[in-house]
Amino acid sequence: RIHCVNRPNSKVLTPERGTAACVMDAMDTDGPAIEFEEAAVEARQAPPDGIDALPYADKDFEVPGAREAAIALVEEEMRQFKPDMSEYAQRLPPLPQIGSYSSSFMLAEMERVAAGEAMPPVDMRKTELPPPPKSKRNDVAAWQAALDNACAQYEHQKTRLENLELLSKHGPQIWAMRTKQTKQQEEALRGNLAKITTQIQEVNWKRQSEQSTVGAALHELEVRWGQLVSKNYEIERAAQQLEAEIAVLKQGQTPA
């Protein structure tokens, strides 16, 4: 936003030199540049983590092509950026301890997932009622095992029917209660959301008001700075011209 006046022996404004140094180079006096130097010193002493951005006051993006140029720089940086994936996991927080879930079954499942192995198919033998094979049709133990399996399947289906009857009898009341609780939670969350949204709007309005006021002051100071630099440049040129005329007079010559 601020540039040095292009004059002989002028220096380029850089972040290392700062605005005050540029002003002093342009003015070469101890006059009004002192206040600019004090302001630059205060700016250099600001916290390093401060965000130097005034989105409501800065008008840089209003310059034609500025936004497109900034987006092009970001895209170019993204194309050239190659993160080091070897250190990526080191920056992540450590995994939580599983604790009581560290059973042999869970450990085996995690090992299977880590190895990329497929999940074994569901064993459907528990839902079947196969008779004893032909070679064991006269085996009492084989028939007893088949009978035990049939009894287990019967008890399982009986328990399912009982659960379905209980759900049919008490399910509507439970679902109505759960629906009421869910609506209450939704209303509470919507209230919190509205509260946070209002706080965000208040912060944005306050930020816009402060930045608009500060932006006007910054613009006024910037215009004044330019006027002072231009004025001192004109004074310096007039002084150089007078020095040249004095040098000519001392040599006894008439100026052209």
Side-chain angles (χ1 to χ4, degrees):
R1 179 181 296 176
I2 301 177
H3 305 278
C4 278
V5 179
N6 186 11
R7 63 177 180 84
N9 300 326
S10 65
K11 299 179 180 180
V12 180
L13 175 61
T14 61
E16 291 77 10
R17 299 183 62 249
T19 304
C22 180
V23 174
M24 294 303 293
D25 291 340
M27 300 178 67
D28 291 334
T29 62
D30 295 333
I34 295 178
E35 58 181 287
F36 292 101
E37 184 175 8
E38 294 176 353
V41 171
E42 293 179 359
R44 288 195 295 269
Q45 294 176 351
D49 56 349
I51 300 177
D52 184 14
L54 299 175
Y56 294 102
D58 292 335
K59 305 298 180 182
D60 297 339
F61 276 162
E62 295 183 0
V63 179
R67 182 182 295 273
E68 290 75 11
I71 294 176
L73 290 175
V74 173
E75 292 178 349
E76 180 65 21
E77 179 67 19
M78 293 175 63
R79 283 193 295 268
Q80 297 179 359
F81 178 68
K82 295 181 179 180
D84 187 3
M85 300 305 296
S86 61
E87 299 180 358
Y88 177 76
Q90 298 179 2
R91 297 192 297 266
L92 297 176
L95 294 176
Q97 298 296 329
I98 299 179
S100 59
Y101 292 97
S102 300
S103 61
S104 58
F105 175 78
M106 290 296 298
L107 293 176
E109 281 298 305
M110 287 189 289
E111 292 177 357
R112 180 189 62 78
V113 174
E117 299 177 357
M119 180 181 294
V122 180
D123 187 4
M124 301 300 295
R125 291 178 299 177
K126 296 181 179 180
T127 61
E128 298 175 355
L129 296 175
K134 293 182 179 180
S135 59
K136 296 184 179 181
R137 292 293 172 88
N138 297 325
D139 190 352
V140 177
W143 281 105
Q144 185 64 43
L147 179 61
D148 293 341
N149 182 29
C151 292
Q153 295 295 330
Y154 171 77
E155 292 295 333
H156 173 66
Q157 296 297 332
K158 181 180 178 182
T159 303
R160 291 187 61 185
L161 290 175
E162 292 177 353
N163 289 332
L164 290 175
E165 291 176 357
L166 292 173
L167 180 62
S168 176
K169 182 178 180 180
H170 304 287
Q173 294 84 354
I174 296 176
W175 277 107
M177 185 182 300
R178 179 55 183 167
T179 302
K180 182 179 179 180
Q181 294 176 354
T182 304
K183 289 183 178 180
Q184 292 176 352
Q185 294 175 355
E186 180 185 5
E187 292 176 358
L189 292 175
R190 288 186 180 276
N192 292 335
L193 176 61
K195 183 179 179 181
I196 295 175
T197 303
T198 303
Q199 293 176 353
I200 293 174
Q201 292 177 351
E202 292 177 354
V203 170
N204 289 334
W205 290 335
K206 181 180 179 181
R207 184 181 300 168
Q208 182 178 5
S209 176
E210 293 177 351
Q211 292 186 12
S212 298
T213 304
V214 174
L218 288 175
H219 178 70
E220 182 180 354
L221 290 174
E222 184 177 357
V223 172
R224 184 183 175 190
W225 179 87
Q227 294 174 350
L228 291 174
V229 171
S230 300
K231 182 178 179 180
N232 282 272
Y233 177 52
E234 295 174 358
I235 293 174
E236 184 179 0
R237 290 186 59 187
Q240 291 177 354
Q241 184 176 358
L242 290 175
E243 290 176 356
E245 293 177 357
I246 292 173
V248 172
L249 291 175
K250 285 183 178 181
Q251 295 178 1
Q253 297 178 3
T254 304

